[in-house]
Amino acid sequence: MKLISSSLIECKREALDTFVQNAQKVLSKMRVNAPVIVNRQLEVIGNNDICDTLKRLGARFVPVVFMEEVKDIDIDLRELGFYEDIKPSEFKVFSNIHELIRGLWPTPLVRIKLSEAPSNIDLYLKLEGFNPLSMSVKDRIAWYMVMNAAEDILRSGKRKLFMEPTSTNTGLGITLIGNTLGFKTKLFIPRTVQKESEAILKIAGADVKRDDKQLTVEMIDEVKELASRELGVMLDQFENDLNPEAHLRFTAKELDVQLQRIKKKLLGIVGGIGTSGHMSALSIYFKSRYPSAKIIAAQPAPGTSIQGIRRAETGMKWLKYAVFDHIIDVHPKEAVDAVKKVAIENGLLIGPSSGAAVHATLKAIEKGLIPDEKGVVVLVSPDMGHKYGEFFSQYLD
């Protein structure tokens, strides 16, 4: 058996269902039990699913045997460089924004203290607002989708135009990354998006069209049709399987590394559901690695809206892969009160969807949905609160 750089091995991309099933098997054991079979030209002729899984999870090496040497193996993922792409830049010096994005990962994981929380449970915020472009978790999927699409677009000769429905953050990330590659971006925003967000998108260089619809997802079909007519490319954060894949490869894995440093039992992970990309990926990863950990989702209370998250029944593509132990309703006022609480008690200004996660966590602890024992609960904070003045002002006393 040889360990070959994953960049030198080309394998067929498996369907998402197959990839998720294989990823769960690999992550549950953190081992690979069969090699990828190749010929002398390093063409995959057997166990393509293993090759595909390891590459998409970001392993640096793939275990291979040549056709005449087929045999079983048992190898730890760490020996395949599984964690090697989770290494922040030591001195934070970068030659371009692509290095900057990757070099700032892992995003910070910081302990917070809330007066209502029991002392035996340590609460940690995963601060995705430290991503540099949109200052949100959406930088991850924007970068991953753009970089995977750009080469094909350039090779096909299609017009270098991205078209995307967005509520702000994904569109901002796509615009700024696209700018560096010579792409133009046309964004479509619902009427519920704040005026200041529209101004930010325009100053970043996007052509912005405001629609009368209330939700971003309501514009998907219209934008797809328009993109077809104008020879644009819709990356489609709501349907593009690169969305959860980016979070499975980077967000979940880096959180795992950070939790290993804390050396305490993971009791649960709490976060809001939007496209369902990051929460589905976190569920897939951590239910495989740590089955006893509770995965809890926050959603807006019926008849209300919180920017960045929505109710599960509105239909998210990847929810079928997630195992949520509980889904908790949060009213916007409760989310804003939680934002204020975190600011006053911990000096951090988080966004409203982060506030929803905080409120859902306290509610879950109060109801006994999270084990009352020593351990860690991670709260996913998708972005910071600086962009939400208009939203916050509606709920101030």
Side-chain angles (χ1 to χ4, degrees):
M1 183 197 72
K2 293 185 178 180
L3 299 185
I4 303 292
S5 172
S6 56
S7 62
L8 299 177
I9 303 290
E10 290 295 330
C11 46
K12 181 174 69 72
R13 189 177 178 85
E14 301 282 353
L16 186 62
D17 286 354
T18 303
F19 167 60
V20 169
Q21 291 171 6
N22 289 329
Q24 289 170 325
K25 291 176 185 176
V26 168
L27 291 169
S28 65
K29 298 178 180 178
M30 287 299 287
R31 306 189 74 81
V32 176
N33 299 119
V36 177
I37 305 168
V38 299
N39 60 22
R40 293 295 170 180
Q41 289 72 46
L42 295 184
E43 296 169 333
V44 177
I45 56 177
N47 293 339
N48 180 84
D49 56 339
I50 295 173
C51 177
D52 175 68
T53 301
L54 291 175
K55 283 175 68 74
R56 289 163 74 174
L57 287 177
R60 184 179 176 186
F61 300 104
V62 173
V64 304
V65 295
F66 295 102
M67 185 169 53
E68 62 272 19
E69 302 170 352
V70 176
K71 59 182 179 181
D72 291 333
I73 62 169
D74 183 35
I75 188 167
D76 192 295
L77 287 187
R78 294 170 184 81
E79 296 179 54
L80 302 178
F82 181 69
Y83 291 116
E84 287 188 19
D85 56 351
I86 308 298
K87 288 184 178 179
S89 171
E90 184 177 2
F91 294 107
K92 304 292 187 292
V93 178
F94 310 105
S95 61
N96 54 56
I97 70 160
H98 304 280
E99 289 185 6
L100 173 67
I101 294 168
R102 288 288 305 277
L104 292 182
W105 294 345
T107 53
L109 185 67
V110 60
R111 186 181 177 189
I112 61 170
K113 294 188 177 181
L114 299 174
S115 53
E116 295 100 320
S119 58
N120 58 304
I121 297 179
D122 293 342
L123 302 179
Y124 279 83
L125 272 180
K126 179 67 169 160
L127 292 175
E128 290 297 298
F130 277 71
N131 281 291
L133 305 184
S134 68
M135 290 186 286
S136 83
V137 69
K138 298 298 188 177
D139 279 6
R140 295 180 182 271
I141 64 169
W143 173 78
Y144 205 62
M145 290 191 304
V146 168
M147 297 310 294
N148 277 275
E151 186 177 341
D152 290 339
I153 294 169
L154 293 173
R155 186 166 53 242
S156 67
K158 289 183 180 178
R159 185 178 177 191
K160 294 164 66 174
L161 171 66
F162 291 126
M163 302 175 73
E164 188 78 9
T166 182
S167 60
T168 299
N169 289 328
T170 305
L172 182 56
I174 290 172
T175 300
L176 293 172
I177 297 168
N179 288 346
T180 68
L181 302 172
F183 285 73
K184 299 293 185 184
T185 306
K186 184 180 288 188
L187 301 176
F188 301 81
I189 61 174
R191 59 180 168 82
T192 49
V193 169
Q194 303 172 105
K195 291 181 180 178
E196 61 188 87
S197 295
E198 181 176 350
I200 289 171
L201 294 173
K202 288 180 176 178
I203 203 69
D207 178 7
V208 182
K209 306 294 182 184
R210 185 179 285 269
D211 197 287
D212 192 46
K213 295 181 176 63
Q214 181 172 342
L215 297 175
T216 311
V217 291
E218 295 172 357
M219 300 184 291
I220 293 175
D221 292 340
E222 181 183 331
V223 176
K224 278 183 181 177
E225 183 181 343
L226 197 60
S228 178
R229 289 205 309 264
E230 296 190 13
L231 297 180
V233 176
M234 181 177 165
L235 294 170
D236 195 355
Q237 61 173 312
F238 303 98
E239 294 288 334
N240 193 328
D241 290 338
L242 293 174
N243 180 334
E245 183 177 320
H247 292 300
L248 196 56
R249 176 172 177 176
F250 296 107
T251 318
K253 187 159 59 174
E254 71 182 48
L255 177 56
D256 188 12
V257 171
Q258 291 172 315
L259 289 170
Q260 290 174 32
R261 296 295 180 93
I262 297 173
K263 296 180 179 178
K264 290 186 179 181
K265 181 180 180 179
L266 176 64
L267 301 178
I269 297 175
V270 185
I273 42 176
T275 65
S276 76
H278 75 268
M279 284 304 292
S280 294
L282 291 173
S283 174
I284 292 166
Y285 190 101
F286 286 96
K287 280 295 186 183
S288 300
R289 292 277 285 123
Y290 311 102
S292 66
K294 304 298 182 184
I295 308 296
I296 298 175
Q299 65 179 3
T304 70
S305 64
I306 299 173
Q307 192 163 336
I309 61 175
R310 63 187 214 262
R311 292 188 62 79
E313 68 264 21
T314 60
M316 296 87 154
K317 181 179 180 181
W318 304 291
L319 277 189
K320 65 181 180 180
Y321 301 113
V323 177
F324 292 135
D325 294 281
H326 306 282
I327 298 180
I328 295 177
D329 289 349
V330 181
H331 190 278
K333 180 67 163 62
E334 294 171 325
V336 174
D337 287 346
V339 169
K340 190 173 182 180
K341 175 181 290 293
V342 171
I344 291 172
E345 297 185 10
N346 294 274
L348 286 169
L349 183 58
I350 57 177
S353 60
S354 309
V358 172
H359 179 82
T361 300
L362 293 175
K363 204 168 183 178
I365 292 173
E366 178 188 346
K367 292 187 172 185
L369 306 180
I370 293 174
D372 185 16
E373 56 183 284
K374 285 188 176 182
V376 171
V377 175
V378 175
L379 294 67
V380 182
S381 174
D383 63 0
M384 307 306 276
H386 305 80
K387 291 175 283 190
Y388 298 102
E390 290 179 39
F391 178 83
F392 290 148
S393 65
Q394 301 175 65
Y395 299 97
L396 294 175
D397 295 332

